[in-house]
Amino acid sequence: MEAELADEDERLREHRDRAERLRIARSAAEELARRVPTLSYQGPFTLATLPAAQAALERWSRLPQGDTALADHLATRYDQVATAMTALRQEAETVLAGRQDAWAPLAVRLALWVEQEREVRRMEPSLKIAKAASEFVKRNATVLHNQALEPLADDARSIWGALK
């Protein structure tokens, strides 16, 4: 009798262990389906594979009742989700690569322009000094010219006066 009770206790313990493992597995499967984020995209580009990926995720997140149905659901829907997400990722990478190819030359030109603008701003104090010096020379050029010619003007007047 004790052997039978021991056997029954062992079977009960195994049953409880299996029930606990099943509960943990069910909980993990449900959590796996709940953790999948919803896909939303409001960008300027059309992603043709986005609706299929959203639909696959929607089907994935609708869990059936029953352990066998849940296991079948996850096995079947996983491949659908993986395929849809792979297609979406590939399309997004293609769109991104196209955008990068289009923007790369502009980005290089823009970076060059920014560097030139920075250089101009660094040289701005020197430019102000050079402009001020240029204006000073222009203002004083006539005065200096007249001062240089004044002795000649006096000589020319005296020669002209002698010639009259």
Side-chain angles (χ1 to χ4, degrees), residues 19-68:
E20 180 62 15
R21 286 197 312 263
L22 178 61
R23 187 195 64 73
I24 291 170
R26 184 184 310 116
S27 178
E30 289 170 353
E31 180 63 23
L32 182 65
R34 275 193 287 273
R35 281 191 306 181
V36 175
T38 57
L39 292 178
S40 64
Y41 173 71
Q42 290 90 25
F45 311 109
T46 301
L47 297 172
T49 56
L50 181 61
Q54 288 171 324
L57 287 175
E58 171 62 26
R59 286 188 303 271
W60 169 264
S61 66
R62 281 187 268 136
L63 299 177
Q65 296 297 319
D67 297 332
T68 304

Side-chain angles (χ1 to χ4, degrees), residues 70-164:
L70 178 58
D72 290 343
H73 172 81
L74 294 178
T76 305
R77 298 294 184 208
Y78 177 81
D79 289 337
Q80 293 172 358
V81 169
T83 299
M85 296 305 289
T86 298
L88 179 61
R89 187 190 80 244
Q90 288 172 345
E91 182 182 14
E93 287 173 351
T94 300
V95 168
L96 180 61
R99 286 286 141 199
Q100 287 175 336
D101 290 347
W103 280 99
L106 296 174
V108 170
R109 288 176 41 203
L110 183 60
L112 178 61
W113 181 85
V114 167
E115 187 53 39
Q116 290 172 343
E117 175 65 17
R118 287 180 181 152
E119 184 63 25
V120 166
R121 287 178 190 234
R122 278 193 293 268
M123 295 174 54
E124 194 170 2
S126 300
L127 180 61
K128 285 182 180 179
I129 292 170
K131 280 185 178 180
S134 174
E135 289 173 12
F136 173 81
V137 169
K138 286 178 186 175
R139 280 193 312 267
N140 291 304
T142 304
V143 173
L144 292 173
H145 179 70
N146 289 341
Q147 286 177 352
L149 294 180
E150 195 172 313
L152 293 175
D154 289 342
D155 288 342
R157 274 189 229 116
S158 72
I159 292 173
W160 183 251
L163 289 174
K164 286 188 185 176

